[in-house]
Amino acid sequence: KAMCSGKLQTALLVAGYFVYLLVGAAVFQALERTAEKQEKRAAAQMKEAFLQNFTQLTVAEMEQFMKNLIEAIQNGVYPVGNESQLEESNWDFSNSFFFAGTVVSTIGYGTLHPKTAGGQIFCVFFALFGIPLNIVFLHRVGKMLSLLCKKLGKFLYEKGMRKKKIKFLTLLFFLATGILVFLCLPSVFFQITEGWSYSEGIYFAFITLSTIGFGDYVVGKQSDRKYFSYYRVLVAIWILFGLAWIALLFNL
């Protein structure tokens, strides 16, 4: 009964956690998408006006253009390419889910952020409840993984191995497995999908899972590459379980 109850609690927690992220993603998308379209149109008009008059601009006008351009880029609007790119949104569902995951995990790359008053206020409350929920989720997943450690330890103990050696081998096994699953293999995936070098993929994976999140490398941000649907959702799920693995290592 206790085991069934524990499994039910874990299932409900995992389901509730992902529902929380899905609802958060939907709200961020609804609040931010319209404002982003307006920003993109303004940036496109600014670019068009510059191309028509750049030979006649004064130094002051040129500096103002540079300030506007920098501000647009800081807001995640890149005025490059043709008008069809206006339809591509930083706040589609995949990007919104990815953003929600980086908020509750406290990574905070800084390359995507809410700009409307509603989005900013919602982000405060979403993080306020989401960060503790994320800690509970990681703790529970880490606990499930630690049960695997115990089973492995029990198996080795029955084979006549000493406890100190079992502890060392268990830690080594989960360290090596985690490095392979959460660092080495994803880096190959990022190398293929993003066009980064393998070392850049390793660097991104470590900076992300350690929650440092500089924001110098972020997935799905290159305008000249085509990404498959829900690419960033998949990356967000990798981040969440990667964080659980790191939590397990600390426990071990």
Side-chain angles (χ1 to χ4, degrees):
K1 280 186 178 180
M3 189 177 288
C4 288
S5 176
K7 286 181 179 179
L8 180 62
Q9 285 178 0
T10 300
L12 288 173
L13 175 63
V14 171
Y17 180 73
F18 279 99
V19 167
Y20 188 81
L21 291 180
L22 290 169
V23 170
V27 174
F28 280 122
Q29 183 181 19
L31 291 172
E32 295 296 324
R33 201 164 187 175
T34 303
E36 184 201 34
K37 279 186 179 179
Q38 292 172 351
E39 277 192 22
K40 283 193 170 185
R41 286 196 187 98
Q45 288 168 1
M46 177 188 72
K47 176 187 173 182
E48 189 178 343
F50 172 78
L51 292 174
Q52 288 174 355
N53 304 306
F54 71 94
T55 56
Q56 301 167 9
L57 292 178
T58 64
V59 173
E61 287 172 334
M62 190 65 187
E63 285 184 352
Q64 185 60 48
F65 170 76
M66 295 298 291
K67 285 179 183 177
N68 293 340
L69 182 63
I70 290 167
E71 186 179 343
I73 292 170
Q74 285 174 341
N75 288 332
V77 176
Y78 300 91
V80 294
N82 53 39
E83 289 186 10
S84 66
Q85 288 179 309
L86 287 172
E87 300 306 314
E88 296 175 10
S89 176
N90 289 319
W91 290 102
D92 60 18
F93 189 78
S94 180
N95 285 333
S96 299
F97 185 88
F98 181 78
F99 173 75
T102 59
V103 168
V104 298
S105 61
T106 69
I107 294 171
Y109 292 113
T111 53
L112 186 65
H113 52 274
K115 292 171 279 294
T116 64
Q120 289 170 350
I121 295 298
F122 176 73
C123 188
V124 170
F125 287 99
F126 181 75
L128 192 64
F129 295 100
I131 291 170
L133 178 61
N134 183 63
I135 292 168
V136 173
F137 170 78
L138 294 180
H139 176 72
R140 182 54 67 99
V141 174
K143 201 172 180 181
M144 287 170 61
L145 291 173
S146 67
L147 289 175
L148 294 176
C149 291
K150 287 181 181 178
K151 286 182 180 179
L152 178 62
K154 189 178 179 182
F155 172 77
L156 294 173
Y157 185 72
E158 287 172 355
K159 294 293 181 181
M161 198 173 285
R162 289 181 302 168
K163 284 188 176 181
K164 282 187 178 180
K165 195 173 182 182
I166 289 171
K167 283 183 180 179
F168 174 74
L169 288 175
T170 303
L171 178 60
L172 187 64
F173 172 75
F174 277 91
L175 180 63
T177 306
I179 287 173
L180 179 66
V181 172
F182 294 109
L183 290 178
C184 296
L185 292 179
S187 298
V188 175
F189 178 67
F190 295 135
Q191 184 180 15
I192 295 166
T193 310
E194 297 288 344
W196 297 336
S197 67
Y198 187 71
S199 61
E200 286 173 324
I202 288 280
Y203 168 76
F204 166 76
F206 177 79
I207 292 300
T208 295
L209 296 185
S210 61
T211 70
I212 296 170
F214 288 127
D216 50 349
Y217 287 85
V218 182
V219 295
K221 296 297 288 182
Q222 299 184 65
S223 58
D224 60 334
R225 298 188 79 86
K226 290 290 180 183
Y227 301 101
F228 61 86
S229 298
Y230 301 107
Y231 165 54
R232 299 189 97 192
V233 171
L234 190 63
V235 175
I237 293 170
W238 161 73
I239 289 171
L240 298 173
F241 284 97
L243 292 174
W245 165 65
I246 287 177
L248 170 67
L249 285 183
F250 283 125
N251 286 337
L252 288 175

